Amino acid sequence: MRMITLDEVAALLRENDDFKLLTHSYPDGDTLGGAFALAFALRKLGKRANVAVNGPVPSKFRYLVKNYKEQDFTPKYIVSVDVAAMSLLGDSVMEGVKGIDLCIDHHRTNTVVADNIYVDGDAAAACETVYQLVELLGVELDEDIAGGIYTGISTDTGCFCFTNTTPRTHRIAAQVIPFCDWKQINYINFVVRTRAKIKMERMIYDTMEFYAGGKCAIVYTTLAMQKALGAGDDEMEGLANIPRQVEGVEMGITMREKDGGVFKVSVRTNDGINAAEFCKKFGGGGHPAAAGCSVEGDLATVKKLLVDAAEEYI
Amino acid sequence: MRMITLDEVAALLRENDDFKLLTHSYPDGDTLGGAFALAFALRKLGKRANVAVNGPVPSKFRYLVKNYKEQDFTPKYIVSVDVAAMSLLGDSVMEGVKGIDLCIDHHRTNTVVADNIYVDGDAAAACETVYQLVELLGVELDEDIAGGIYTGISTDTGCFCFTNTTPRTHRIAAQVIPFCDWKQINYINFVVRTRAKIKMERMIYDTMEFYAGGKCAIVYTTLAMQKALGAGDDEMEGLANIPRQVEGVEMGITMREKDGGVFKVSVRTNDGINAAEFCKKFGGGGHPAAAGCSVEGDLATVKKLLVDAAEEYI
């Protein structure tokens, strides 16, 4: 395990071949956009590179793989992209993987075990690092690479709205948007919502309760609600941002019931309240303004646990 | 009336003094952000400059004027910022104004009568031009100037999401965000919503009807609805984006009842449907993807007019 520089990351990518790029479970725009952009870039250098995804690529992100075909080779160099912890690597992703050679990430809480580690905690998205690597490697941008990078930085910043955005994020956006269909990417990720999703959002408001003098808002979805609306996983995305939007709320908690008596919990906070630290109490982690954890139990029990902890924490 | 270049605009600003900067009615982030940023920049050059606003600065934009104090002088040079038509200049704004010396705008449909006209139809916001002028005039960015510019470009692009965003928009954002409290500006403009606003949004969904095989969605608010929720003008902003967000919708129409038996109509469209052209049929105008008009009549009549026109248009 050694922390390396960006130049060293570029050198390792240049020196090696037959890459397997690992993405995290419940894949989002940054892990997918970053891994596929990097794979396309490595292939442009004449190398072989595949991306391992836990399950199918979510339908909304299918545009990332329209020019992607799995290559046939035995992986020799393993790289994780946007993966913050080993537990986020699904079994199918880790198939045949003995160890990780290189970890590229932007989560300050990163605990991945790898020979070489590059974590840029100032990067809004792992895709910022991927962009820098594409530049260092001298690979010319094209639609696949630019589209992946734009997907990662736009989704991880809520379209340049979240507090993790930096001047560099905007500068990279300016570089990549001439090469990709960013209007369609924005439409998919930030504009369009299915009727089922709109219904789910409205239902969530009915569950909203306020604590800590209105500073904490908590909402939930249950499997029964999801079933009643015919809402798939796509409809369940982005709900985590709802409670923090209410005036006066500094900590928004979204509980989402998953199979097996467990709630996936997302926490979004304003400046001054550390969501990652809060989630750590429940074995989770993430960023200061956006973090998550999983808590076992029934709805009432989990809610009480979270509310009590939040009231103490705020 | 002559169309001039950006360099000529800068020269006129440099040569003249005692500026009155005009903003448009129902002032938004671009007209206010642009006019106040330009006023602060001109003052830094040792000139006198005031901004004329029709009514008070909306509460959400009060941060733009925290360091602004009206100066005492007789205006000699009149500049309109982000004003697309003379009809958008309120009486109080035009008080004592005999003619407009310079028009700075980004609406391609601009019909302002002025001695000198600069319209950059490629600019996502008039504030892009203001940024370029600040640069040309050699004025150093500060919180007031950068905050105004960021407000204009972020609000006119829906935080860099709308299709009018360009690489230049992002490059300007990268330049100004180190100087202003853009996190708070984003929070005010894109994150926080009052409980009344959330209720209003939910109520709007109940009014949603689909036409043209689901390609057109229309929603409305009435004065009665507004009163029932205690929703002020701040709560009524941004509602125009709701109908277009529904999957399959290519033209979203939002009707908002105003005093005096008139509906203010906002139209948002996907690529391929020209909102400005559609609104022109009703005496309005705007941008290809976002335009508006006013239509007199009762709810049912106005809705039927719009729906019939939309079905024919799509």
Side-chain angles (χ1 to χ4, degrees), chain B residues 296-310:
Chain B
E296 277 181 45
D298 61 41
L299 177 64
T301 312
V302 176
K303 194 162 82 176
K304 187 165 174 2
L305 268 175
L306 291 166
V307 165
D308 286 350

Side-chain angles (χ1 to χ4, degrees), chain A residues 150 158-171 173-175 177-178 182-183 186-187 190-195 198 201-203 205-206 208 210 214 242 244-250 270-271, chain B residues 150 158-171 173-175 177-178 182-183 186-187 190-195 198 201-203 205-206 208 210 214 242 244-250 270-271:
Chain A
Y150 184 79
C159 211
F160 311 95
C161 184
F162 299 160
T163 55
N164 57 347
T165 309
T166 69
R168 183 174 70 188
T169 319
H170 280 292
R171 281 198 300 270
Q175 294 296 325
I177 65 174
W182 63 275
K183 295 181 186 185
N186 280 358
Y187 183 74
F190 305 111
V191 179
V192 75
R193 296 181 296 168
T194 61
R195 297 189 195 187
I198 290 169
E201 287 183 5
R202 299 182 66 192
M203 202 180 259
Y205 281 114
D206 290 329
M208 196 177 288
F210 297 93
I242 289 177
R244 195 184 74 101
Q245 293 173 349
V246 182
E247 197 178 26
V249 171
E250 297 183 7
N270 288 357
D271 266 2
Chain B
Y150 184 79
C159 210
F160 311 94
C161 184
F162 299 160
T163 55
N164 57 347
T165 310
T166 69
R168 183 174 70 187
T169 320
H170 280 292
R171 281 197 301 269
Q175 295 297 324
I177 65 174
W182 63 275
K183 294 180 187 186
N186 281 358
Y187 183 74
F190 306 112
V191 179
V192 74
R193 297 181 296 168
T194 61
R195 295 189 195 187
I198 290 169
E201 288 183 6
R202 299 181 67 191
M203 201 179 258
Y205 281 115
D206 290 329
M208 196 178 287
F210 297 94
I242 289 177
R244 197 185 72 102
Q245 293 173 349
V246 181
E247 195 178 29
V249 171
E250 296 183 9
N270 288 357
D271 267 2

Side-chain angles (χ1 to χ4, degrees), chain A residues 75-91:
Chain A
K76 285 201 201 106
Y77 201 80
I78 314 295
V79 183
S80 69
V81 180
D82 190 45
V83 179
M86 298 305 286
S87 60
L88 296 170
L89 290 163
D91 291 344

